[in-house]
């Protein structure tokens, strides 16, 4: 089943011609309307005319998340403010988030891409999609919502959390399809297991879309087995619309990335040079159809590889593997992006904690921040330590939007490493 | 009223901590007169009264423990029913707020003292000055040791 068969099965040659045409357009649009890009082009002594073939994309400047932050809120906008209809933000390293704007056309295009994805997994109008991603500033829920409505399925905008109610909704409305994070899927499975609920027997579930967090093939198998469903991997990032950038088809072997909307590059994160075909590297994406906010060569920091060969489904858009790693130290927990520097900044602002700290990730969504207290400020009062612990927990929660468990340690407990300390210990089995 | 020092040590709740701390004390030849452990979720504060608090304090610090020292009151308790009640009544009458309290027993149970840890100890001392309370002091202890 196809949503837009012509474009989804377009020949590689025609696709590349389309990409080139759109790349030229996008580069022009960015150069003319966004001072940031004009400046970058000038520094490289180029103009959009430099693009005569797809390979010429390598002559264009990269865009990083730091660039996005630096030009927050309106600096990356290519159109007048009255032309934008929606804002999403994505959490950033410190303080400033990234602002992503959509014009009316952009909202519609993002929905079209989602529609392709859903149809690709066999969804039909009589399906019921329970959308358990966070509605709000995150792109995860709303972009999926619009796409699902476009297909004509019934969308339950459940949002995350309140697991009992989620289960009740599944029972009452015969939910067939879930959209959620892998960590929440595992949690949901444990709650259902404890309540003696057998999804295969008691629910109408048939499939789930899992995204926002990296997870393994084992986790997919585990979730598929427990719920008795098909799990499809979903890839997206707010800077590139959110979900719907790449998605698995029924063959569940890599995610088709919609190349009529994005140009894929896989680079060595250290040198910025393209890696040989089939090797893993950092995914770099260029938008081809975005009106409000065209972005050139965005460094996603996600490490992936291209799956070689043609897919049995007939789609010609190449497939990327699931995320193998990150080229930075970003942590994704409960679908939220967190940088260790955010945690460091909070801790350094509290007098009674020392320099050394450690972040431990366990189970599927447990985060423990271990901090050493300052020897000189210890006054023997348990009450002060309890207050300190609460203060750290609260300040971290308001910065990273996830409530961590905080452990107070004796000074000198954590290993002191020379150079770059190992701040994050990831014991998760996601 | 001579000063009586209490030494507090911060410790994570994990096996072996108390034994590590007490080894330092044993090696330094320090005698523990009283001990109290206050623990919260994941960590604890050990409170000690030592015969040689200055030595203990320096040794523990040297060994890298997180230590602090403060003055506490040790009020003599009469060894009969109602003994603690009498003391508590006086403290309550004088509105002395206790942060932490535990018992120190000396000379093979001949005398017992209530160790009271008070945030504003100077104020408490003033308030209790004219009350019929007997205090254990570092001086008394020193004399006793001299014998």
């Amino acid at each position: 089943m196809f949503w837009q068969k012509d474009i989804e099965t377009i020949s590689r040659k025609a696709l590349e011609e389309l990409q080139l045409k759109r790349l030229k357009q996008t580069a022009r649009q960015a150069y003319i309307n966004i001072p940031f890009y004009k400046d970058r082009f000038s520094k490289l002594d180029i103009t959009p005319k430099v693009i005569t073939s797809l390979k010429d994309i390598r002559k264009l400047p990269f865009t990083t998340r730091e660039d996005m932050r630096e030009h927050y809120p309106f600096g990356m906008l290519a159109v007048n403010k009255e032309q934008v209809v929606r804002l999403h933000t994505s959490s950033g390293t410190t303080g400033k988030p990234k602002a992503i704007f959509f014009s009316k056309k952009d909202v519609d295009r993002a929905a079209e891409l989602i529609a392709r994805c859903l149809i690709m997994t066999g969804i039909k109008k009589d399906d019921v999609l329970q959308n358990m991603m966070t509605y709000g500033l995150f792109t995860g829920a709303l972009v999926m919502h619009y796409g699902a409505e476009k297909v004509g399925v019934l969308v339950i905008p459940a949002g995350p959390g309140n697991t009992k109610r989620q289960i009740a909704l599944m029972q009452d409305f015969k939910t067939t399809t879930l959209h959620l994070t892998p960590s929440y899927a595992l949690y949901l499975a444990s709650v259902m297991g404890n309540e003696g609920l057998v999804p295969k027997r008691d629910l109408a579930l048939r499939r789930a879309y899992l995204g926002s967090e990296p997870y393994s093939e084992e986790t997919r198998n585990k979730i598929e087995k427990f719920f008795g469903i098909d799990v499809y991997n979903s890839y997206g990032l707010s800077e590139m619309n959110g979900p719907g950038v790449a998605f698995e088809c029924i063959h569940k072997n890599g995610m088709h990335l919609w190349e009529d909307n994005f140009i894929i590059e896989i680079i060595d994160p250290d040198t910025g040079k393209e890696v040989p075909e089939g090797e893993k590297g950092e995914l770099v994406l260029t938008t081809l159809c975005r009106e409000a906010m065209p972005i050139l060569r965005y460094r996603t920091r996600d490490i992936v590889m291209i799956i070689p060969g043609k897919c049995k489904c007939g789609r010609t858009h190449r497939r990327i593997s699931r995320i193998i790693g990150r080229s930075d130290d970003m942590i994704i927990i409960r679908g939220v992006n967190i940088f260790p520097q955010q945690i460091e900044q909070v801790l350094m602002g509290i007098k009674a904690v020392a320099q050394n700290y450690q972040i431990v990730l366990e189970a599927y969504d447990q985060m423990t921040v271990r901090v050493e207290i300052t020897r000189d400020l210890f006054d023997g009062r348990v009450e002060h330590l309890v207050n300190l612990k609460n203060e750290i927990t609260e300040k971290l929660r308001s910065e990273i939007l996830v409530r961590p468990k905080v452990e107070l340690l004796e000074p000198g407990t954590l290993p002191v490493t020379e150079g770059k300390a190992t701040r994050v210990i990831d014991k998760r089995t996601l | 009223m001579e000063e009586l020092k209490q030494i507090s040590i911060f410790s994570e709740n994990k096996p072996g901590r108390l034994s590590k701390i007490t080894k330092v004390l044993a090696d330094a030849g320090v005698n523990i007169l009283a001990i109290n452990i206050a623990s919260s979720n994941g960590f604890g504060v050990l409170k000690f009264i030592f015969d040689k608090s200055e030595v203990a304090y320096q040794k523990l610090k040297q060994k890298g423990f997180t230590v602090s020292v403060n003055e506490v009151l040790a009020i003599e308790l009469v060894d009969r029913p109602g003994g603690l009640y009498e003391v508590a009544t006086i403290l309550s009458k004088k509105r002395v707020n206790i942060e932490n309290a535990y018992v120190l027993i000396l000379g093979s149970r001949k005398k017992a003292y209530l160790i009271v840890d008070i945030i504003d100890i100077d104020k408490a001392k003033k308030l209790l000055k004219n009350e019929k309370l007997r205090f254990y002091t570092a001086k008394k202890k020193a004399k006793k040791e001299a014998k």
Side-chain angles (χ1 to χ4, degrees):
Chain A
M1 279 292 290
F2 295 90
W3 177 254
Q4 292 167 319
K5 190 169 184 185
D6 291 353
I7 193 76
E8 291 176 49
T9 59
I10 187 173
S11 75
R12 287 302 299 180
K13 188 168 172 283
L15 177 61
E16 280 164 20
E17 278 165 16
L18 181 64
Q19 281 188 317
L20 179 60
K21 189 180 124 209
R22 287 182 172 172
L23 176 62
K24 285 179 180 173
Q25 241 165 26
T26 299
R28 249 199 325 272
Q29 180 197 5
Y31 179 77
I32 294 166
N33 299 315
I34 307 173
F36 160 75
Y37 280 118
K38 179 149 203 176
D39 187 51
R40 285 288 164 95
F41 276 59
S42 308
K43 275 184 187 141
L44 293 166
D45 209 17
I46 54 167
T47 68
K49 290 206 179 86
V50 80
I51 301 163
T52 56
S53 78
L54 275 180
K55 285 200 163 58
D56 292 327
I57 193 170
R58 294 173 200 160
K59 295 175 182 163
L60 301 181
F62 285 120
T63 309
T64 63
R65 63 161 192 261
E66 288 78 19
D67 295 328
M68 300 281 295
R69 259 185 26 235
E70 207 178 301
H71 296 87
Y72 174 90
F74 297 114
M76 302 295 276
L77 199 53
V79 295
N80 292 326
K81 279 180 215 163
E82 54 264 37
Q83 277 173 268
V84 294
V85 297
R86 196 195 295 172
L87 164 72
H88 280 292
T89 67
S90 171
S91 54
T93 331
T94 42
K96 281 190 202 171
K98 289 162 274 184
I100 295 102
F101 292 98
F102 291 68
S103 69
K104 209 163 186 140
K105 249 189 197 157
D106 293 333
V107 169
D108 196 55
R109 277 218 179 253
E112 288 286 346
L113 295 186
I114 290 287
R116 288 186 200 172
C117 299
L118 304 194
I119 293 290
M120 182 159 68
T121 65
I123 216 168
K124 292 195 177 67
K125 281 189 179 181
D126 59 358
D127 272 300
V128 178
L129 174 90
Q130 193 159 323
N131 196 3
M132 296 154 82
M133 291 287 190
T134 306
Y135 278 82
L137 287 168
F138 293 114
T139 46
L142 269 180
V143 171
M144 173 60 73
H145 188 111
Y146 275 57
E149 281 189 349
K150 198 172 259 299
V151 171
V153 306
L154 171 64
V155 189
I156 306 176
N162 201 341
T163 305
K164 293 248 158 85
R165 191 184 63 189
Q166 300 278 10
I167 296 170
L169 286 169
M170 286 176 211
Q171 288 168 327
D172 297 347
F173 299 100
K174 305 277 178 282
T175 301
T176 63
T177 309
L178 303 177
H179 179 221
L180 73 179
T181 62
S183 58
Y184 193 46
L186 288 170
Y187 178 71
L188 191 62
S190 75
V191 172
M192 286 183 178
N194 289 342
E195 297 196 347
L197 202 115
V198 179
K200 259 177 272 188
R201 183 191 67 202
D202 307 326
L203 300 171
L205 295 178
R206 299 173 65 175
R207 65 182 77 78
Y209 306 131
L210 262 57
S212 291
E213 288 166 356
Y215 63 107
S216 65
E217 204 55 40
E218 290 71 40
T219 298
R220 182 216 304 256
N221 295 340
K222 203 169 146 188
I223 294 168
E224 287 191 330
K225 203 167 163 226
F226 178 83
F227 290 97
I229 56 171
D230 284 304
V231 165
Y232 300 97
N233 202 358
S234 155
Y235 177 77
L237 61 161
S238 296
E239 298 87 321
M240 298 284 132
N241 295 351
V245 175
F247 220 82
E248 279 180 336
C249 66
I250 48 165
H251 299 292
K252 298 192 281 193
N253 181 24
M255 298 176 277
H256 291 281
L257 198 147
W258 301 119
E259 292 185 82
D260 59 322
N261 275 253
F262 305 98
I263 289 183
I264 307 174
E265 291 174 86
I266 309 282
I267 64 159
D268 176 330
D270 298 323
T271 64
K273 296 264 188 307
E274 197 143 359
V275 299
E277 219 172 294
E279 278 185 29
K280 65 176 185 182
E282 181 184 330
L283 178 66
V284 172
L285 292 172
T286 298
T287 65
L288 292 177
C289 302
R290 276 253 286 262
E291 195 175 52
M293 212 171 213
I295 299 177
L296 303 175
R297 307 190 79 200
Y298 188 69
R299 301 282 302 258
T300 68
R301 303 289 169 185
D302 288 320
I303 305 290
V304 299
M305 56 194 205
I306 300 273
I307 307 234
K310 284 182 188 159
C311 183
K312 280 180 273 179
C313 75
R315 286 174 186 82
T316 49
H317 300 245
R318 284 180 296 168
R319 290 163 295 160
I320 56 165
S321 67
R322 59 173 68 247
I323 301 169
I324 304 164
R326 295 272 310 170
S327 70
D328 60 11
D329 47 9
M330 186 173 87
I331 303 163
I332 306 175
I333 194 157
R334 293 175 217 167
V336 180
N337 299 349
I338 299 165
F339 292 91
Q341 301 94 289
Q342 286 176 280
I343 289 171
E344 181 163 324
Q345 214 193 23
V346 168
L347 296 179
M348 294 311 132
I350 301 171
K351 251 203 261 161
V353 304
Q355 299 285 312
N356 220 349
Y357 69 95
Q358 203 174 56
I359 301 159
V360 184
L361 307 171
E362 284 163 297
Y364 35 82
D365 65 350
Q366 294 305 308
M367 176 190 247
T368 304
V369 177
R370 312 180 73 209
V371 295
E372 291 181 2
I373 63 165
T374 311
R375 196 168 272 134
D376 300 340
L377 289 174
F378 174 66
D379 63 0
R381 307 255 178 235
V382 176
E383 189 193 349
H384 290 173
L385 294 169
V386 172
N387 290 346
L388 172 65
K389 199 167 141 175
N390 293 341
E391 183 193 350
I392 298 170
T393 311
E394 247 341 281
K395 284 190 172 161
L396 284 173
R397 192 202 55 77
S398 78
E399 170 66 32
I400 62 178
L401 309 175
V402 167
R403 182 185 295 277
K405 193 179 150 208
V406 171
E407 270 178 22
L408 300 182
L409 307 180
E410 294 168 49
T413 313
L414 293 173
V416 184
T417 40
E418 278 174 46
K420 208 180 172 196
T422 314
R423 297 298 192 194
V424 183
I425 296 176
D426 198 340
K427 297 195 242 175
R428 283 179 298 181
T429 48
L430 212 56
Chain B
M1 241 184 264
E2 289 298 320
E3 282 192 8
L4 184 70
K5 301 280 199 223
Q6 168 186 264
I7 310 275
S8 305
I9 306 167
F10 175 73
S11 168
E12 290 155 47
N13 277 358
K14 60 181 183 195
R17 294 310 292 161
L18 186 58
S19 107
K20 268 202 182 122
I21 292 165
T22 46
K23 177 166 191 320
V24 174
L25 301 167
D27 291 349
V30 173
N31 200 11
I32 300 168
L33 302 181
I35 177 171
N36 173 261
I37 302 177
S39 81
S40 173
N41 196 5
F43 64 85
V45 177
L46 310 170
K47 313 225 171 210
F48 290 98
I49 305 291
F50 296 123
D51 59 345
K52 291 176 263 182
S53 28
E54 186 56 29
V55 176
Y57 179 74
Q58 292 305 339
K59 275 282 170 207
L60 288 164
K61 229 181 154 135
Q62 220 176 63
K63 293 282 180 189
F65 288 95
T66 304
V67 199
S68 89
V69 58
N70 70 301
E71 188 192 348
V72 289
L73 294 180
I75 308 168
E76 192 177 319
L77 296 171
V78 189
D79 191 9
R80 61 169 156 74
L84 178 57
Y85 171 67
E86 283 161 23
V87 172
T89 309
I90 292 170
L91 293 176
S92 130
K93 194 177 74 190
K94 291 289 173 184
R95 307 195 67 76
V96 174
N97 201 15
I98 300 168
E99 167 86 0
N100 188 18
Y102 48 106
V103 171
L104 163 68
I105 298 172
L106 282 181
S108 310
R109 221 176 153 250
K110 263 183 206 144
K111 263 184 184 157
Y113 295 88
L114 181 70
I115 307 281
V116 283
D117 193 352
I118 297 156
I119 292 177
D120 193 348
I121 189 142
D122 292 329
K123 190 174 150 208
K125 277 171 155 179
K126 262 182 219 144
L127 289 171
L128 299 174
K129 210 172 172 180
N130 300 318
E131 293 300 322
K132 278 207 304 191
L133 290 172
R134 291 162 64 96
F135 293 94
Y136 174 81
T137 69
K139 211 173 199 169
K140 223 183 249 176
K141 184 184 67 193
K143 261 187 226 158
K144 201 176 160 194
E145 271 162 14
K147 283 179 199 168

